[in-house]
Amino acid sequence: MSLKSAFAALLIFSTTHALAYPSVGDKVTWSGEVQRVDGTSYSIQITKEVIEHDKKDNKWKVKVDAIMGAEKTSDIFESNELYSPSQYKNLLAGCTSKGGTIEDLKLSIGTYKTCKLTTTSEDGTLVEKWWGDIPFGVISKTTKDSGQVAKQNPALKSILVGL
């Protein structure tokens, strides 16, 4: 098989396989910065990984590892439903009717067609999330205080779709 044919086969396989999420082995990492009230900042990295699926009960187990500055945490949670390509398709189709905007979000690992949704909490904190066609859905998230100063901005760093 020629190099060109092998590359084409790999491209077709990876595109087809990417649509198979959620599946065991899906792993997504976001990284960014958190700004403290005193003006200092620290790095943040969050990784979510699908580690198990009970088909009988349709329960998913997801491991979440977080590094925030010097603090490291790890947790496992169960869910009956995980984000899927059909949810992305529905979200994109209804994005503007939900008050969102469709945006191409360019990151170091690629450009993603997203639905940007913005919410404001009771304390005035503004949360912007860019939802895309990846496991767990969120491509990037920015949290701003009531004065619109960014407090947190983790963005997608890597994706591994289950094998």
Side-chain angles (χ1 to χ4, degrees):
M1 181 185 309
S2 73
L3 184 59
K4 191 175 183 180
S5 298
F7 180 72
L10 179 63
L11 184 61
I12 289 168
F13 174 74
S14 63
T15 302
T16 304
H17 189 66
L19 300 176
Y21 73 86
S23 64
V24 173
D26 289 353
K27 187 174 186 177
V28 179
T29 299
W30 300 267
S31 63
E33 294 289 320
V34 173
Q35 300 294 320
R36 293 185 175 138
V37 175
D38 66 7
T40 62
S41 65
Y42 59 91
S43 61
I44 182 173
Q45 180 172 300
I46 302 164
T47 300
K48 287 186 178 182
E49 180 179 7
V50 179
I51 58 172
E52 189 177 309
H53 181 228
D54 180 339
K55 291 180 182 179
K56 181 181 170 227
D57 294 331
N58 197 34
K59 296 248 187 216
W60 297 90
K61 280 191 180 178
V62 176
K63 182 179 179 187
V64 180
D65 293 321
I67 302 170
M68 296 184 279
E71 184 180 333
K72 295 179 182 182
T73 62
S74 188
D75 197 15
I76 294 176
F77 71 90
E78 286 189 0
S79 178
N80 291 332
E81 183 178 8
L82 292 180
Y83 191 79
S84 68
S86 63
Q87 287 174 308
Y88 167 73
K89 185 179 175 183
N90 291 338
L91 179 62
L92 208 57
C95 183
T96 55
S97 67
K98 294 179 181 176
T101 56
I102 295 176
E103 295 183 7
D104 286 336
L105 187 61
K106 191 174 203 169
L107 301 172
S108 62
I109 66 167
T111 301
Y112 298 88
K113 185 173 186 176
T114 68
C115 174
K116 178 185 174 187
L117 295 172
T118 304
T119 57
T120 305
S121 65
E122 290 181 19
D123 69 355
T125 300
L126 183 78
V127 178
E128 300 168 311
K129 287 185 182 178
W130 288 262
W131 292 84
D133 191 12
I134 65 166
F136 306 108
V138 177
I139 303 282
S140 187
K141 175 184 168 184
T142 300
T143 305
K144 299 177 180 178
D145 65 20
S146 57
Q148 303 305 304
V149 176
K151 296 190 318 187
Q152 192 181 90
N153 62 344
L156 187 64
K157 181 179 176 184
S158 67
I159 303 171
L160 175 66
V161 180
L163 302 173

